[in-house]
Amino acid sequence: MISTFSFPTRIVFGRGALRELGSAARPLRIARPLVVTDRGVVACGLADQVFEEARRAGLDPVLFAEVDPNPVEKNVLDGLAAYRRGNCDGVIGLGGGSPLDTAKAIRLAVTHPFPLAQYDDKLDGAAKISANMPPMIAMATTAGTGSEVGRSAVIILPATDRKTVIFSPHLMPNVALADPELTLGMPPQVTAGTGLDALTHNVEAYLALGYHPLCDAIALHGAKLALRYLPRAVHHGTDLEARSQMLMAAMLGAVAFQKGLGAVHSLAHPLSSIAHLHHGTTNGILLPHVLEFNRPAVTVRLRDLAVAMEIDGSRGTPAEAAEALIARLRALLPEVGIPSHLGALGVTRDLIPAMARKAIEDACHQSNPRPCTEADMAALYEKAL
Ligand SMILES: [Zn+2]
């Protein structure tokens, strides 16, 4: 069997990387970028900081801050209108996963016909996406989704009535400017929720079906960094080393999940679209339950993770190591201030049937190491409740 691997994202990483904005924009011929962000990023002053740097570099940026916490199609349409009105020639995504994903969808919409539902990855939409779209620079202000190095945009579309994954190598930003200073102001709860997303990406990618030894190696290292540095980043927000390592863990996770994700993500998506909860937070709560479910299929792989993550008990038998890993991930939640159960976030039992139906429709579990049915999804929600 022939396999093909590629990691073409250009990443400019480190404290002060924001000051490379001009040298990132020039070769891409971006002079008038649409800066796609959200109100939170504007309110905490980060958008001002980026605008100041952009102007210093001779750019003429245009602001678009109307992105919802779980982005919807309207955000993309409004952004497209702003792009056209502003006569823009490129896109800067600034924020967490929501602005970055919306920025990707806007650059797609500039050159590709509507409706967006035709690009749904579940319907093989990638085949309809060409390289012809405006250039994009991504700047993350959270350490979680790693969308700055990823190939997908997740948008809730009315036509599909769910979080819809649009996936294409062409959606990948041309440059990721990864500056940990942009993440220093994240409050503890956001740090914890987004960090748990990064951790989940690495763990699910390592366990995902498919042959990808490059992603496997990246995922093991990303999982180790995320577990080691997340508590520090949550409790000492100004710890630049912890912030840097978490930003790297997030990018490693997103590179690794080119291989695939798993049932945690399929269960988490309806918790956002139906129960309006934070993606990463729900991933963190679901992760131990799904690992328990997957354990019979991947005991040895769970030990690999436990060893890489330097978990006490990881040197025992595979079964003991898997047990120790799951226990450690359970213990991590209270350590970073996240509740252990979905019920504590207001999820009620009556939502489970509708969410299980959406979860089974979601594409992520197709690479889960143990096949899941709708009844399995419902049972997993029940356990996590
Ligand atoms: Zn995620």
Side-chain angles (χ1 to χ4, degrees):
M1 196 182 75
I2 308 290
S3 304
T4 308
F5 311 109
S6 70
F7 295 109
T9 316
R10 185 161 166 249
I11 300 169
V12 181
F13 174 77
R15 179 180 200 174
L18 171 60
R19 288 190 287 278
E20 302 299 316
L21 181 55
S23 47
R26 267 185 297 278
L28 298 169
R29 298 177 187 277
I30 299 177
R32 207 167 148 70
L34 183 72
V35 179
V36 179
T37 187
D38 62 28
R39 288 175 197 182
V41 173
V42 173
C44 71
L46 284 176
D48 279 345
Q49 217 179 312
V50 168
F51 267 66
E52 200 175 299
E53 178 57 35
R55 292 194 180 112
R56 195 188 65 79
L59 308 178
D60 185 11
V62 175
L63 181 68
F64 175 71
E66 304 305 310
V67 177
D68 291 350
N70 287 301
V72 295
E73 186 166 57
K74 183 175 186 306
N75 301 149
V76 181
L77 295 170
D78 292 347
L80 176 63
Y83 185 95
R84 300 231 193 274
R85 238 185 354 261
N87 249 322
C88 296
D89 52 15
V91 175
I92 293 177
L94 172 69
S98 304
L100 296 182
D101 282 13
T102 306
K104 290 178 189 172
I106 291 170
R107 68 195 285 240
L108 172 76
V110 169
T111 49
H112 289 66
F114 278 83
L116 289 179
Q118 68 184 299
Y119 307 109
D120 183 354
D121 191 46
K122 254 194 109 181
L123 308 173
D124 207 14
K128 294 183 181 156
I129 301 176
S130 78
N132 173 30
M133 58 179 89
M136 173 171 169
I137 296 170
M139 278 182 273
T141 62
T142 65
T145 69
S147 181
E148 62 273 24
V149 297
R151 306 168 179 212
S152 57
V154 183
I155 309 283
I156 299 172
L157 302 178
T160 59
D161 192 29
R162 60 177 153 77
K163 275 201 158 187
T164 307
V165 178
I166 303 174
F167 180 93
S168 161
H170 305 308
L171 286 178
M172 204 162 40
N174 301 76
V175 181
L177 283 189
D179 188 338
E181 285 189 334
L182 298 181
T183 70
L184 289 178
M186 250 193 300
Q189 215 185 343
V190 181
T191 304
T194 52
L196 288 169
D197 192 27
L199 175 65
T200 304
H201 291 161
N202 283 295
V203 171
E204 284 216 290
Y206 185 70
L207 300 177
L209 296 173
Y211 177 67
H212 208 314
L214 286 77
C215 283
D216 284 349
I218 289 170
L220 287 174
H221 188 60
K224 169 179 164 169
L225 290 183
L227 182 65
R228 184 185 291 175
Y229 289 100
L230 181 57
R232 250 172 82 176
V234 169
H235 296 292
H236 308 280
T238 55
D239 180 336
L240 195 68
E241 194 200 351
R243 293 295 196 184
S244 299
Q245 300 283 13
M246 282 309 300
L247 190 57
M248 183 50 77
M251 290 193 289
L252 295 175
V255 168
F257 82 63
Q258 293 176 28
K259 181 187 166 200
L261 285 167
V264 178
H265 272 75
S266 287
L267 290 161
H269 287 155
L271 283 163
S272 292
S273 57
I274 294 176
H276 310 289
L277 296 177
H278 181 263
H279 171 68
T281 302
T282 55
N283 275 339
I285 297 172
L286 291 161
L287 183 60
H289 298 284
V290 173
L291 295 189
E292 195 72 67
F293 173 82
N294 285 340
R295 175 153 60 165
V298 280
T299 311
V300 172
R301 291 217 141 219
L302 290 171
R303 179 179 62 177
D304 296 345
L305 277 164
V307 169
M309 293 162 81
E310 297 169 343
I311 284 167
D312 288 341
S314 62
R315 298 290 170 179
T317 64
E320 286 162 353
E323 181 68 49
L325 171 70
I326 295 169
R328 180 69 192 92
L329 293 175
R330 275 207 184 95
L332 178 65
L333 296 172
E335 224 174 280
V336 298
I338 297 291
S340 301
H341 296 97
L342 295 172
L345 300 176
V347 179
T348 47
R349 188 158 281 125
D350 57 298
L351 292 175
I352 290 179
M355 292 198 301
R357 215 158 28 245
K358 290 287 178 201
I360 204 73
E361 278 174 22
D362 185 274
C364 290
H365 71 84
Q366 285 164 5
S367 48
N368 195 67
R370 184 176 162 192
C372 338
T373 62
E374 193 175 321
D376 292 330
M377 295 297 193
L380 283 163
Y381 281 130
E382 190 73 41
K383 286 214 168 82
L385 200 62

